[in-house]
Amino acid sequence: MKALLVCEQREGKLLDTSYELVAFAERLGAEVSLVLVGTPAQAPQVAAKLYLADVNKYGEYSPELHKHIVLAAALKENPDYIIFPHSSYGWDLAPRVAATLRVGQVSEVVNIVDGKLEVSLCNGKLRRTVSPKAARAVLTVQAGAFNYAGQKSGAPQVEAIEISQGSSALQFVGYEPAEKKDVDLGRAEIIVSAGRGVGKKENVGVIADLAKAFGGELGASRPVVDAGWVGHSHQVGTTGQTVSPKLYVACGISGAIQHLAGMKKSDFIVAINKDKDAPISEAADVMVVADVLALAPVLAEKLRAA
Ligand code: FAD
């Protein structure tokens, strides 16, 4: 089985999801080749064939040009799977490639079970297992679902890729900084996050107080942000921030893959949850089975007294 992995760079930096695609393809047992619109300096350090298209020529992003670059690499490799990160880059590009090739697409793969692809649906509440019937398929892989354990020191065998399509109807203009945040979770050494388990907006203060007692910042899962209980700058996860504090305390958070992707690189994870079987228990170093609304004030008091 052959897999062509579509790597992603942003503003000169190769994204880590490129290595996660390698981990996923290795789990599939696939022979790997890579394609990147970037520069030689951004090449993934993996001992595999890399088709490299010049980002200065083809642009940071251009749906048409990048599509043709992926198709040109696919023509050379004839892969069974063409695999994209499940990011805004992959969301836009993967269906264009699938439609041009007239092949099916499996979106948001989060696991491989008995050789079949497990995908997330209904906002991560359900999982479905699928197995493409056709010889070729396009896949997108959720960030954080596959961990690359190898050394990032392999030497790719680079082949420059050129396409005849020289221009696009769309022009990449640039990135805009997000609205000013009221908190910078990326720098926090301790984050205490509130999940839907806190129940209502008025209870978020209990978790914020615990965060303060720890000398840390308040984080949140997406439902808490979507409900308007706290601002988006507090959100941790694939559509929020990726954080790696020394201590992460998850309060009333189930541990959906989209949340885990944003915090699982924390040095030490404590989860406080009423349900001992909540998926977060698999990522947690310490799992406290308790009502967080009862425990948090007591814990905050103890910390202040210490
Ligand atoms: P729930 O899953 O509802 O879990 C609540 C938990 O609280 C349960 O485990 C329950 O046992 C526990 N609980 C209840 N009451 C108490 C109590 N009194 N004390 C202790 N424990 C209690 N999610 C994110 O967080 N970040 C993202 O960036 C993100 N991006 C997403 C992007 C996409 C494209 C999609 C589809 C989803 C995304 N999600 C994201 C949503 C994600 O799939 C989950 O729905 C979400 O993380 C669940 O949040 P939660 O754990 O707070 O809520």
Side-chain angles (χ1 to χ4, degrees):
M1 184 200 296
K2 290 175 86 177
L4 176 65
L5 313 183
V6 183
C7 302
E8 183 177 0
Q9 66 87 32
R10 198 171 299 156
E11 294 183 300
K13 195 171 171 290
L14 181 77
L15 300 194
D16 233 25
T17 47
S18 307
Y19 287 100
E20 293 176 10
L21 296 187
V22 176
F24 169 67
E26 284 175 350
R27 281 264 313 268
L28 280 176
E31 186 190 325
V32 166
S33 58
L34 311 141
V35 55
L36 170 71
V37 185
T39 64
Q42 296 153 10
Q45 302 303 293
V46 174
K49 181 77 169 270
L50 168 68
Y51 294 96
L52 185 65
D54 186 355
V55 67
N56 297 313
K57 184 169 175 187
Y58 297 113
E60 183 88 3
Y61 187 54
S62 154
E64 270 304 295
L65 300 185
H66 285 218
K67 180 187 84 173
H68 283 294
I69 289 161
V70 174
L71 291 172
L75 194 65
K76 285 173 181 266
E77 283 296 316
N78 196 22
D80 301 281
Y81 288 141
I82 303 174
I83 309 176
F84 294 80
H86 192 73
S87 61
S88 50
Y89 185 68
W91 297 334
D92 197 53
L93 201 51
R96 294 172 191 273
V97 170
T100 308
L101 293 173
R102 301 184 70 78
V103 301
Q105 177 171 327
V106 179
S107 295
E108 207 181 344
V109 178
V110 294
N111 201 0
I112 301 169
V113 179
D114 299 330
K116 295 193 173 121
L117 305 172
E118 193 172 84
V119 300
S120 164
L121 41 147
C122 295
N123 263 2
K125 288 189 174 48
L126 297 174
R127 298 274 175 104
R128 179 169 59 193
T129 310
V130 296
S131 200
K133 278 186 180 169
R136 176 177 281 179
V138 164
L139 314 179
T140 71
V141 173
Q142 181 58 260
F146 296 89
N147 194 19
Y148 181 70
Q151 297 288 322
K152 293 176 183 168
S153 58
Q157 184 199 336
V158 180
E159 181 177 324
I161 199 154
E162 299 274 345
I163 52 166
S164 53
Q165 294 79 3
S167 64
S168 163
L170 294 176
Q171 188 195 351
F172 178 80
V173 179
Y175 296 104
E176 292 233 356
E179 61 186 81
K180 203 170 172 327
K181 299 169 186 169
D182 57 12
V183 60
D184 187 358
L185 293 183
R187 287 162 175 267
E189 295 204 333
I190 299 176
I191 298 174
V192 181
S193 283
R196 184 158 31 204
V198 304
K200 53 183 179 180
K201 185 173 184 174
E202 291 67 32
N203 290 340
V204 175
V206 174
I207 310 302
D209 192 46
L210 180 60
K212 201 169 160 198
F214 266 114
E217 298 284 3
L218 176 69
S221 67
R222 181 166 160 171
V224 170
V225 173
D226 286 352
W229 298 351
V230 297
H232 183 260
S233 57
H234 293 269
Q235 185 177 320
V236 173
T238 49
T239 44
Q241 288 200 66
T242 301
V243 298
S244 48
K246 289 186 176 152
L247 174 65
Y248 188 88
V249 186
C251 301
I253 293 178
S254 60
I257 182 93
Q258 294 88 354
H259 190 82
L260 294 180
M263 46 62 81
K264 70 179 190 181
K265 288 187 180 151
S266 307
D267 287 351
F268 199 82
I269 299 171
V270 177
I272 306 173
N273 200 301
K274 280 206 297 203
D275 176 7
K276 72 174 173 43
D277 297 320
I280 194 134
S281 63
E282 287 169 30
D285 296 287
V286 171
M287 178 79 178
V288 183
V289 181
D291 178 345
V292 72
L293 296 175
L295 180 67
V298 179
L299 191 53
E301 207 47 58
K302 292 264 179 211
L303 285 166
R304 274 192 284 267

